[in-house]
């Protein structure tokens, strides 16, 4: 059975309490299923932001997208997760990743480590969270048992294996990143290979994970070729045709974009789409077009 679409917005910009409440209420009124908060220095702190979002809204799920595991001690993180799940009424979805921006670790006075060390730490964090939050004696206890749904994001082989083993939601950026955080889109054929590798790791799962993609560009009513040319001019080393078929680049009429999303679901399996805060309003009519499909 085809999984229905879910739609999320990743909030990036800080503001006053009133501004934050207004943004979250707008996301709810536009029909977003999930309100997410990133975990980068210079952006809102995730857990208090999600508690405030819960107080301002009634329906959306609330999640981290994604926590930089290298900035968190697993035992202390378990306390944050359980408390936030309680204070949001069991609406929390916990997103975790290895972290990829060395400069943030330097500013925090924390080791960045090698890719292997970062994945090792994330794996220890996942294992410890599962152990601590499932303990009936843990105080505070999460509202959701045995823990909130877990989203894991990454593209490397070990991360794909880890997501296949532990994640309720497997998240893909469709891109690689440097230590500075610079984004470089993967070719669609490479992304397809990554998805096939993930599916091979997940073949023995009793329940398939939900598959998430982070959409970078939403250009409603834009010329699709012109959008691709502009992206190519900004350093993306893909052909125009590759950019036009990429699941993180959505351009054209509302119907065109809805057709692209359905095609990406067929090709890659993505049913959970995250857009960035600047596209909060632009993507709303696309969600409406896709409801029930």
């Amino acid at each position: 059975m085809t999984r229905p679409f879910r739609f999320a917005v990743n909030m990036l910009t800080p503001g006053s309490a009133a501004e934050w409440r207004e943004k979250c209420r707008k996301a709810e009124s536009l029909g977003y299923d999930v309100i997410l908060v990133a975990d980068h220095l210079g952006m809102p702190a995730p857990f208090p932001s999600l508690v405030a979002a819960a107080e301002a809204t009634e329906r959306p799920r609330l999640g981290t997208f994604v926590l930089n595991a290298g900035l968190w001690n697993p035992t202390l993180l378990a306390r944050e997760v359980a408390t936030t799940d309680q204070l949001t009424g069991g609406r929390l979805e916990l997103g975790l990743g290895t972290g990829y921006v060395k400069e943030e670790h330097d500013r925090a006075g924390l080791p960045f480590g090698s890719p292997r060390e970062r994945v090792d730490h994330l794996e220890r964090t996942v294992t410890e969270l599962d152990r601590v939050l499932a303990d009936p004696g843990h105080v505070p206890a999460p509202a959701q048992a045995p823990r909130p749904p877990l989203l894991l994001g990454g593209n490397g082989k070990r991360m794909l294996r880890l997501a296949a083993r532990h994640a309720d939601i497997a998240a893909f950026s469709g891109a690689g990143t440097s230590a500075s955080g610079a984004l470089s889109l993967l070719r669609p054929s490479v992304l397809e290979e990554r998805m096939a590798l993930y599916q091979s790791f997940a073949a023995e799962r009793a329940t398939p994970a939900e598959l998430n993609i982070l959409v970078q560009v939403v250009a409603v009513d834009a010329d699709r070729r012109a959008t691709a040319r502009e992206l190519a001019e900004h350093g993306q080393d893909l052909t125009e045709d590759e950019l036009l078929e990429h699941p993180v680049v959505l351009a054209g009429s509302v119907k065109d974009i809805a057709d692209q999303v359905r095609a990406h679901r067929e090709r890659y399996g993505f049913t959970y789409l995250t857009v960035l805060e600047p596209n909060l309003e632009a993507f709303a009519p696309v969600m409406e077009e896709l409801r029930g499909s």
Side-chain angles (χ1 to χ4, degrees):
M1 181 180 295
T2 302
R3 190 188 292 266
F5 286 114
R6 282 205 307 161
F7 306 104
V9 57
N10 199 25
M11 299 297 198
L12 306 174
T13 55
S16 68
E19 290 167 337
W20 183 253
R21 289 193 296 268
E22 181 181 356
K23 284 196 298 187
C24 292
R25 288 172 181 148
K26 176 174 283 189
E28 181 174 36
S29 70
L30 290 173
Y32 283 91
D33 301 295
V34 192
I35 295 171
L36 300 169
V37 181
D39 186 22
H40 292 292
L41 298 182
M43 294 184 184
F47 291 117
S49 297
L50 295 177
V51 172
E55 292 174 349
T57 62
E58 297 181 358
R59 179 187 52 79
R61 302 282 291 173
L62 307 158
T64 55
F65 196 79
V66 292
L67 291 184
N68 178 346
L71 301 181
W72 296 88
N73 170 283
T75 302
L76 298 180
L77 177 58
R79 181 183 64 174
E80 297 291 324
V81 169
T83 301
T84 302
D85 198 35
Q86 283 286 352
L87 294 179
T88 60
R91 292 156 65 186
L92 180 64
E93 295 183 0
L94 177 63
L96 289 170
T98 61
Y100 58 88
V101 184
K102 182 178 184 300
E103 186 268 342
E104 292 187 340
H105 288 247
D106 293 342
R107 286 170 61 191
L110 294 169
F112 185 57
S114 67
R116 174 179 292 277
E117 289 169 330
R118 294 199 298 278
V119 176
D120 285 345
H121 178 71
L122 176 60
E123 187 164 13
R124 287 192 298 271
T125 299
V126 170
T127 301
E128 183 68 3
L129 287 173
D130 279 347
R131 184 189 69 81
V132 171
L133 295 177
D135 180 356
H138 184 263
V139 179
Q144 301 172 88
R147 56 154 170 75
L150 177 64
L151 176 150
L152 291 176
N155 289 306
K157 186 174 181 178
R158 286 188 66 203
M159 277 302 306
L160 296 177
R161 194 186 298 275
L162 186 65
R165 190 162 65 247
H166 293 282
D168 303 293
I169 305 160
F172 298 84
S173 66
T177 51
S178 67
S180 68
L183 185 74
S184 178
L185 295 182
L186 302 176
R187 297 189 184 281
S189 59
V190 174
L191 178 58
E192 198 166 31
E193 291 170 1
R194 295 282 91 190
M195 299 305 300
L197 183 59
Y198 166 80
Q199 294 293 0
S200 71
F201 294 149
E204 301 303 316
R205 288 180 62 119
T207 303
E210 191 175 24
L211 301 183
N212 172 278
I213 185 71
L214 174 58
V215 177
Q216 297 288 340
V217 177
V218 178
V220 177
D221 293 331
D223 181 279
R224 298 190 70 230
R225 285 283 168 188
T227 300
R229 283 196 297 273
E230 183 176 349
L231 287 172
E233 290 167 0
H234 282 80
Q236 294 298 336
D237 188 26
L238 279 71
T239 68
E240 286 185 20
D241 286 340
E242 286 173 326
L243 288 166
L244 289 174
E245 67 177 282
H246 206 292
V248 308
V249 179
L250 301 178
S253 69
V254 168
K255 184 179 183 306
D256 288 340
I257 293 175
D259 288 343
Q260 292 163 48
V261 171
R262 293 187 190 99
H264 299 325
R265 177 174 63 182
E266 181 70 22
R267 181 174 181 181
Y268 303 102
F270 298 130
T271 59
Y272 179 10
L273 278 70
T274 299
V275 300
L276 301 173
E277 182 181 339
N279 295 315
L280 172 71
E281 295 187 67
F283 192 66
V286 179
M287 292 192 297
E288 185 66 27
E289 180 76 15
L290 287 165
R291 289 294 181 196
S293 63

